[in-house]
Amino acid sequence: MQPGVGNVRAGRWWTPAEIAKFCAMRPRPHQFLALLPVIALVGAPFFANRVTPRILGLPFLLAWTVGAVLLAALVMAIIFRIDERDRVTGRSGRGDA
């Protein structure tokens, strides 16, 4: 493969077929769970922007943000487990199995 064609991946260039396959990939339904923490963080100032009640001594908005970060870690772990299970069983759902 000539330099300048494709992208570098793991020390080698992607072929045009690999690039087309990557571009054709669609997100799987469980991967949309990743939007939950984003929505929680972006939407927080509109409905959680208050000081009271205090949760563990933190203002409500700060406690909400901490909760959203913890939710993000939990959601990413769930998505990882589902993807890993599907990879092992061969159910990728992306047209390559």
Side-chain angles (χ1 to χ4, degrees):
M1 179 77 25
Q2 299 170 348
V5 178
N7 294 319
V8 175
R9 180 189 65 176
R12 69 175 184 82
W13 291 92
W14 283 16
T15 65
E18 290 174 324
I19 294 171
K21 183 179 176 182
F22 178 78
C23 292
M25 290 173 28
R26 300 282 184 255
R28 303 193 41 223
H30 68 272
Q31 292 172 335
F32 287 106
L33 288 172
L35 293 175
L36 291 176
V38 174
I39 292 168
L41 284 170
V42 171
F46 298 107
F47 64 90
N49 193 14
R50 56 183 180 264
V51 175
T52 57
R54 290 191 171 266
I55 301 172
L56 298 174
L58 298 174
F60 185 70
L61 183 58
L62 183 56
W64 181 274
T65 303
V66 170
V69 170
L70 295 176
L71 175 68
L74 178 67
V75 166
M76 291 300 125
I78 291 169
I79 291 172
F80 174 77
R81 294 285 182 183
I82 293 171
D83 281 344
E84 189 67 19
R85 180 198 66 198
D86 290 349
R87 184 188 64 79
V88 169
T89 60
R91 297 181 302 171
S92 69
R94 296 190 180 198
D96 58 349

